[in-house]
């Protein structure tokens, strides 16, 4: 026991020493050049790429969003005001609910009717805690209306039936006098809701039923047949797909399914070590885990590219989208917290992960029609962390906020010359970039400096437009594991950045470990 404690202490010291050294002052800046082809506009970035995911998991819903009307935490009809206000400022385009693995154990009827009469179940997948079903269909839909977002409902294939799924759709969307539509009215909702996206199961290769793609493809065909909605209100229907470097799900689904499939889901989580049994810490990590995290998150590009190749071959008309409906960092549970609740801290490293992934999704905007970070509040790479009545916005929240101008913008191709940032066996491009023309016609440029020690001096060459300066915001921090807490909520917060012509070339100075979004004018 004693030896174990000593080892932990030694590891912690090594980690802190590494964090300190990563902030070595006076390191020579690196020189980077970026060319933006404003004369060659590409695809439009679907705003849904900035989607969120909220599962019945840990404090993701209960406490994170829903506290109930009787709570001392300031709330409106049970939804906590601070979280709702913060989410409104994020212009969330779409929220996926109720899971995740929870979705394939969820029976929608448990979550309607008088709250005090709803059955209490056990959330067997996440911590074995009671699930009161207080937050059900009406509560989720009202929440979506409150924050002004579209909804992506995840249906139960694993332990549900096509009939159960069809009934849920009818309950939510029917404008007829059917018994189900009237039941919805009796429960307080006269008007039908719009369901914008419907997922046929989740991770059907694992918690969603342990299926093979061929078996699932047949089930998709069957279940999707019964997803009905009033004329003009059909949701986009999303098939459950693969994970990480897999391509066989896209291969099989695009071969075996000829209709009803608007998208195929894909999941990829970034683990610092790549090892599920020892993933790495969310804070107090060595520089080796800074670079390994970024290197592993950059693999998203390869995974999307490989799947898009198959989509292009099997769906040349481009009807089927690639929906990365779970992505983000996944660390070891924090000591003293229930491991099944997936609560983790969120640092400037997570901000870099978010930025790098957005730049990848923009690059593939033609096929990536949606992405949903896991998850919105208190779970994994969250936007918001709550602690009783208090909350903190995470560095990831700030990146989502800074990237708002990219929602609906038109991609402008970029070329970048950047030295690698390397350490040990890892080497990554030092700077990641994305450019677009926003819906108001402004040129937007996003840049992430992945190097934790060195400033990057970026020379911007714009083809097809004239600009003289850049104005925007940068998110950076002194320490690699800098993060916000309710007690210190502004350790990592965006500040102004600008660039101007130097020697006739627009020049931006990116601090080490930073994310910047600037408007070129
Ligand atoms: O986001 C947490 C879990 O990760 C989801 O429930 C599941 O789909 C995935 O394995």
């Amino acid at each position: 026991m004693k030896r174990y404690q000593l080892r932990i202490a030694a590891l912690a010291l090594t980690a802190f020493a590494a964090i300190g050294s990563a902030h070595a002052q006076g390191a020579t800046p690196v020189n980077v050049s970026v060319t933006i082809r404003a004369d060659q506009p590409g695809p439009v970035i679907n705003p849904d790429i900035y989607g969120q995911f909220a599962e019945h998991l840990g404090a993701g819903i209960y406490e994170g969003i829903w506290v109930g009307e009787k709570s001392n935490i300031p709330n409106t009809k049970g939804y906590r005001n601070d979280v709702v206000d913060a989410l409104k400022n994020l212009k969330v385009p779409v929220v996926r609910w109720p899971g995740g693995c929870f979705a394939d154990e969820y029976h929608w009827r448990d979550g309607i009717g008088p709250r005090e009469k709803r059955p209490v179940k056990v959330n067997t997948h996440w911590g074995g805690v009671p699930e009161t079903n207080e937050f059900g269909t009406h509560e989720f839909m009202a929440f979506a209306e409150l924050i002004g977002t579209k909804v992506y409902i995840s249906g139960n294939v694993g332990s549900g039936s096509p009939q159960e799924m069809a009934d849920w759709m009818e309950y939510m969307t029917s404008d007829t006098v059917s018994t189900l539509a009237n039941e919805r009215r009796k429960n307080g909702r006269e008007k039908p809701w719009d369901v914008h996206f419907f997922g046929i199961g989740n991770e059907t290769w694992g918690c969603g039923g342990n299926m093979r793609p061929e078996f699932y493809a047949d089930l998709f065909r069957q279940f999707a047949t019964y997803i009905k909605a009033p004329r003009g209100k059909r949701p986009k229907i999303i098939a459950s797909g693969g994970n990480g470097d897999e391509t066989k799900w896209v291969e099989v689904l695009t071969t075996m399914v000829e209709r009803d499939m608007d998208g195929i889901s894909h999941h990829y989580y970034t683990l610092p070590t790549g090892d599920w049994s020892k993933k790495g810490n969310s804070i107090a990590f060595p520089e080796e885990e800074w670079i390994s995290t970024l290197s592993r998150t950059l693999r998203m590009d390869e995974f999307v590219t490989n799947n898009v190749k198959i989509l292009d071959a099997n769906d040349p008309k481009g009807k089927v989208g690639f929906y990365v409906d779970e992505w983000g960092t996944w660390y070891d549970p924090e000591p003293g917290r229930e491991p099944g609740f997936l609560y983790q801290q969120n640092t400037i490293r997570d901000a870099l992960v978010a930025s790098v992934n957005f730049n990848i999704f923009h690059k593939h905007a033609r096929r990536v029609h949606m992405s949903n970070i896991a998850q919105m509040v208190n779970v994994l790479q969250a936007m918001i962390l709550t602690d009783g009545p208090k909350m903190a916005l995470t560095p990831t929240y700030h990146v989502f906020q800074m990237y708002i101008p990219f929602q609906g913008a038109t991609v402008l191709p970029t070329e970048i010359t950047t030295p690698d940032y390397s350490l040990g066996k890892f080497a990554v491009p030092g700077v990641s970039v994305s450019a677009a023309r926003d819906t108001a016609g402004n040129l937007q440029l996003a840049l992430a400096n992945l190097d934790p020690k060195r400033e990057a001096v970026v020379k911007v060459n714009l083809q097809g437009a004239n600009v003289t300066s850049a104005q925007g915001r940068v998110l950076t921090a002194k320490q690699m594991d800098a993060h916000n807490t309710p007690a210190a909520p502004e350790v990592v917060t965006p500040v102004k950045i600008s660039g101007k012509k130097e020697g006739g070339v627009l020049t931006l100075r990116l601090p080490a470990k930073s994310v910047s979004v600037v408007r070129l004018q």
Side-chain angles (χ1 to χ4, degrees), residues 143-155:
F143 167 67
E145 287 179 346
L146 206 54
I147 66 165
T149 187
K150 289 180 290 196
V151 302
Y152 177 1
I153 302 288
S154 236

Side-chain angles (χ1 to χ4, degrees), residues 373-503:
I373 192 164
Q375 300 193 5
M376 192 152 67
V377 189
N378 288 332
V379 176
L380 298 175
Q381 192 177 345
M383 309 302 107
I384 297 168
L385 296 176
T386 65
D387 180 8
K390 302 193 205 118
M391 68 152 206
L393 304 177
T394 65
T396 301
Y397 175 97
H398 291 303
V399 174
F400 269 73
Q401 233 263 332
M402 289 161 68
Y403 270 74
I404 286 175
F406 284 93
Q407 293 193 18
T410 301
V411 173
L412 302 176
T414 52
E415 285 142 32
I416 183 163
T417 309
T418 172
D420 276 353
Y421 151 56
S422 53
L423 184 74
K425 61 178 183 184
F426 293 100
V428 295
V431 170
S432 156
V433 66
S434 182
R437 195 179 284 281
D438 69 21
T439 50
N442 302 307
L443 291 168
Q444 302 285 350
L445 179 63
L447 293 153
N449 182 1
L450 278 57
D451 193 317
K453 294 177 190 147
R454 300 171 75 183
E455 180 188 57
V457 179
V458 183
K459 303 276 178 197
V460 182
N461 165 24
L462 195 63
Q463 303 203 352
N466 266 327
V467 295
T468 51
S469 69
Q471 308 289 339
R473 291 187 299 161
V474 58
L475 193 70
T476 186
K478 289 203 171 100
Q479 308 288 348
M480 285 193 297
D481 69 343
H483 56 275
N484 298 331
T485 60
E490 296 198 350
V491 174
V492 190
T493 191
V495 294
K496 281 190 183 156
I497 187 172
S498 59
K500 57 179 187 337
K501 285 211 165 169
E502 289 179 19

Side-chain angles (χ1 to χ4, degrees), residues 63-81:
E63 176 177 333
I65 295 170
W66 176 260
V67 287
E69 285 159 279
K70 293 191 188 128
S71 171
N72 292 332
I73 298 176
N75 70 84
T76 304
K77 294 189 174 162
Y79 306 94
R80 53 187 300 164
N81 295 341

Side-chain angles (χ1 to χ4, degrees), residues 53 55 57 96 99-102 125-126 202-203 205 207 267 269 326 330 342 374-375 379-380:
F53 170 36
E55 180 168 11
L57 195 178
R96 178 172 181 252
C101 293
F102 182 80
H125 212 90
W126 303 117
N202 165 75
E203 295 196 352
W205 44 265
C207 64
H267 294 175
Y269 284 99
E326 287 185 31
W330 194 321
L342 310 188
Q375 300 193 5
V379 176
L380 298 175

